[in-house]
Amino acid sequence: MKAVVLGAAAGGGFPQWNSNAEACRRARAGDASAVPRSQASLAASGDGERWFLINASPDLRQQIEARPILHPRRDLRSSPIEGVVLTGADVDAIAGLLHLRERQAFTIYASERVLAVLRANPIFGVLAKDCVRRQAVPLAEPFEARHVDGSGSGLEVELFDVPGKVALYLETGPSPDELLGKPGDTVGVEVRADGQRLLYIPGCAQMTEGLKGRLAGASVVLFDGTLWQDDEMIRLGLGPKTGRRMGHMSLSGADGTVAAFRDIAVKRKILVHINNSNPILIEGSIERAMVIKHGWEVAYDGMEVSP
């Protein structure tokens, strides 16, 4: 199995287009300690030639251009992208599908709830039905991702429910129950090959015993690193919502991600989906040093994460 981080940042990227915060200014100015990152996505392959994306971020076009592994190599028009696995219906995960509309064959793998969102929005009709297959994936049922020609990829994939919430634009009221989401709204992706296990979880609202059990023994875990503190957005004057309200654990604190992973045996731990407000994006920061001390890596665009 081969895997490459296409984008490591949360929605808006780093720097965010309308942010004048210090970290974004530094990234914009070319400061080597504030490396820019595009919005979160991962590419995985069983043969190193044909690739499956996990999420199609709004930055997908530039991510394809930045990674030669995703460049067309055969015929007048072609692509090594064989499929896209979706972890939810957030704009960050599905907007990039619109970049793949030029009648190129591939398969979308997603929960039925996410596929229902695509069906309900006519703009996704630009993905011609005779080219782009949509496959509903039951949760906790492994399947082999298949190439467009029908051959097996060697990658066993499983979608599993994680605590989260419905996409922001689908919220219809302030009900706490609604914000928790329903099974299939927020999922993690486990990819297995040759005894190796890679888990990709860019959004998670809280750690559960069930999730701990699934994470244990993984070769590589790429996990939600959105915020450093739960009230980070409010404290910095960037927005009115806490991390919990947005469906994300914070990294710090007694109930944060760093603490939650202390008793989970994972070979390699990588933080992804990192918001531009999170100080771990700055090399040399106290917060970056702290996560590294606890065995975490901070993802960046182009990072190879093959188990």
Side-chain angles (χ1 to χ4, degrees):
M1 183 197 318
K2 296 182 181 297
V4 178
V5 173
L6 300 181
F14 180 63
Q16 183 171 300
W17 69 278
N18 66 341
S19 174
N20 193 37
E22 180 186 356
C24 287
R25 291 199 306 271
R26 290 172 63 176
R28 224 173 258 122
D31 187 330
S33 66
V35 178
R37 290 162 168 83
S38 61
Q39 294 169 91
S41 180
L42 185 80
S45 173
D47 60 10
E49 296 292 329
R50 293 170 288 185
W51 295 82
F52 294 84
L53 310 185
I54 302 181
N55 289 342
S57 90
D59 294 327
L60 181 55
R61 184 184 180 281
Q62 73 184 63
Q63 291 169 345
I64 291 172
E65 292 304 308
R67 307 270 83 83
I69 58 172
L70 300 181
H71 291 178
R73 294 187 295 272
R74 307 183 315 273
D75 305 324
L76 186 60
R77 286 193 177 185
S78 66
S79 173
I81 297 173
E82 301 281 333
V84 181
V85 183
L86 300 176
T87 66
D90 286 296
V91 171
D92 301 353
I94 66 174
L97 291 171
L98 300 178
H99 290 301
L100 306 179
R101 65 188 182 276
E102 280 81 15
R103 295 195 58 80
Q104 183 66 43
F106 66 95
T107 302
I108 298 172
Y109 299 96
S111 71
E112 177 54 40
R113 284 184 64 81
V114 172
L115 289 183
V117 174
L118 299 186
R119 287 195 299 269
N121 192 327
I123 195 170
F124 290 102
V126 299
L127 300 170
K129 292 182 179 179
D130 61 330
C131 289
V132 179
R133 189 167 68 94
R134 303 182 185 187
Q135 180 173 326
V137 179
L139 299 184
E141 292 188 16
F143 66 95
E144 183 177 16
R146 305 197 73 82
H147 299 134
V148 172
D149 63 9
S151 62
S153 67
L155 300 178
E156 184 179 66
V157 181
E158 184 177 349
L159 303 189
F160 56 93
D161 195 53
V162 297
K165 61 180 286 297
V166 70
L168 176 62
Y169 64 92
L170 296 175
E171 291 181 9
T172 58
S175 168
D177 292 334
E178 181 181 28
L179 296 179
L180 290 176
K182 297 179 180 179
D185 284 334
T186 302
V187 304
V189 180
E190 181 168 344
V191 185
R192 297 185 284 266
D194 300 322
Q196 304 297 309
R197 298 171 54 225
L198 179 151
L199 281 77
Y200 186 76
I201 308 172
C204 183
Q206 66 182 62
M207 185 61 69
T208 65
E209 290 303 314
L211 183 54
K212 283 186 176 182
R214 180 175 287 274
L215 291 165
S219 308
V220 181
V221 172
L222 297 103
F223 197 83
D224 184 352
T226 306
L227 300 178
W228 178 253
Q229 292 182 315
D230 187 53
D231 64 349
E232 184 173 303
M233 300 289 285
I234 299 172
R235 184 170 42 81
L236 296 176
L238 300 175
K241 297 178 182 178
T242 63
R244 290 186 181 88
R245 172 63 177 79
M246 296 187 291
H248 297 286
M249 296 174 66
S250 57
L251 290 175
S252 63
D255 58 351
T257 298
V258 172
F261 270 80
R262 283 176 182 158
D263 60 350
I264 305 175
V266 173
K267 292 181 181 178
R268 188 177 181 189
K269 303 178 295 186
I270 303 171
L271 296 167
V272 294
H273 196 271
I274 307 162
N275 197 59
N276 67 89
S277 62
N278 192 330
I280 68 168
L281 287 172
I282 306 301
E283 293 184 31
S285 67
I286 294 173
E287 294 82 2
R288 170 77 75 95
M290 187 176 297
V291 295
I292 291 174
K293 177 182 177 181
H294 287 92
W296 287 92
E297 299 174 61
V298 177
Y300 55 86
D301 293 17
M303 183 182 194
E304 294 187 4
V305 296
S306 305

